[in-house]
Each structure stands twice: as C-alpha cells, then as structure tokens.
Amino acid sequence: MLDNVQYITPKPLTNEAFSAYGDVIQASNDTNNFTINNGFTHRFHDLANIDVNDDNGRALLNIFRSTPLEQPIAIKMMERHPKGSQAFIPLGNNPYLVVVAPAGEFNSKNIEVFIANSDQGVNYHKGTWHHFCLALVSVSDFLVIDRGGEGDNCDVVDLDGSLVITTV
Ligand SMILES: NC(=O)N[C@@H](O)C(=O)O
Ligand code: NI
C-alpha cells in the first residue's frame, strides 16, 4: 500500500490549458472554417499540426477501441513519441481523460490531467509525454492519426502509482 498517494483532479480541456502539449481538435472553437460543396458542407479547416514525416515517416489512420480502467486510476506509466504527433478523436459520446506532461526531461511533478468531452479531440505534439488512451464510462472508439515508419517511436517511463486521478 503506497503511503504517499497524491490525488489529482481533472481540469476541463481548453485550447489555452492544453497549448503547451498540443492541439484541441474541436469544430466549435475553430476560427478557420468555411462553407464548401455549394453550401451543403461546412469545413473546419486545418485543426491540428499532424507532424509525422521525421525519418521518412508517414501518417497512419487507426481506430483504438479502449476499455475504461477501474477507478480511481493510478498513473503507472507515461510515454512519448519522439518522431511524431499523435491525435485522438472520439467516435462515440463518452468523455475521456487526457494525462500529459511537457516534452523534454520527464518530471512527474509536471503531470496535468484533463477531462475531455466527446466533441473534443486532442493532438499530442511530437515528444509530449502522455498516458495511453484513457476511456471513461464504457468501451470507446477513437480515430487515431500518428506516425508510421522506421525506428522506435515510443519512449516509456514507469511510475509508482502514487499519483491517483480522482474519480470522475
Ligand atoms: N501504443 C499505442 O499505439 N498507443 C499509445 O501511443 C497511446 O497513446 O495510446
Ligand atoms: Ni501514445
């Protein structure tokens, strides 16, 4: 039993709060949008910096089907992708958790936890530390755009689980 447990409460996901880590993908806050297709489609344009070309990389489009962890969730790992960005766009109606820390040398003191609505996606910029995909409520599908190609693109740090996310 860990005796130094520290609880962290998720914050609402906003562009400003998340700007150090990546992009919030959300039609409602896009300023660069316009009507196309004879007025029958509205394009929310260029919402995130998809950065996947390092070392001859290419974009992968995936679906992640994530099962919620039992709450309260202890943070036992963080990872980063040094060669590319990684975007998660929810395909259902469930909220989800986003756990991040700034790129560079990892320090658990810098971990921030956000709760995202089902109309918000996130794009982790290259090197942003993050927890793997954390679904809430029920099994949730996410459209994921990240980098494919040569070389190892995933650094992982193991944590002792003393940082625990308050139940949401
Ligand atoms: N491993 C993998 O493809 N997924 C993770 O990178 C993740 O962030 O969920
Ligand atoms: Ni990842």
Side-chain angles (χ1 to χ4, degrees), residues 64 79-81 86 88 124 130-133 146 154:
F64 284 22
E79 63 174 41
R80 66 177 173 187
H81 307 300
Q86 187 174 47
F88 290 81
Y124 302 126
H130 57 280
H131 194 284
F132 63 73
C133 187
D146 55 11
C154 190

Side-chain angles (χ1 to χ4, degrees), residues 50-53 57-64 85-87 89 143-150 153:
I50 306 302
D51 175 4
V52 295
N53 298 324
R58 67 184 181 90
L60 300 179
L61 190 147
N62 322 276
I63 287 177
F64 284 22
S85 58
Q86 187 174 47
I89 298 101
L143 184 72
V144 177
I145 299 169
D146 55 11
R147 177 208 177 261
E150 297 299 313
N153 187 32

Side-chain angles (χ1 to χ4, degrees), residues 62-146:
N62 322 276
I63 287 177
F64 284 22
R65 181 160 292 164
S66 294
T67 300
L69 274 65
E70 189 175 334
Q71 294 201 59
I73 296 169
I75 301 172
K76 296 181 178 174
M77 64 78 73
M78 294 286 278
E79 63 174 41
R80 66 177 173 187
H81 307 300
K83 294 182 184 289
S85 58
Q86 187 174 47
F88 290 81
I89 298 101
L91 297 177
N93 300 313
N94 290 331
Y96 61 103
L97 292 175
V98 176
V99 182
V100 289
E105 186 176 349
F106 176 77
N107 184 329
S108 59
K109 293 183 175 62
N110 296 330
I111 289 176
E112 287 199 84
V113 180
F114 298 96
I115 185 163
N117 300 321
S118 61
D119 68 349
Q120 295 177 303
V122 290
N123 178 53
Y124 302 126
H125 285 172
K126 181 164 60 181
T128 290
W129 291 98
H130 57 280
H131 194 284
F132 63 73
C133 187
L134 286 172
L136 290 173
V137 184
S138 62
V139 173
S140 303
D141 283 1
F142 296 81
L143 184 72
V144 177
I145 299 169
D146 55 11

Side-chain angles (χ1 to χ4, degrees), residues 15-32:
N15 278 344
E16 298 72 23
F18 196 70
S19 60
Y21 308 110
D23 313 293
V24 176
I25 300 168
Q26 186 168 15
S28 60
N29 68 4
D30 174 46
T31 54
N32 187 6

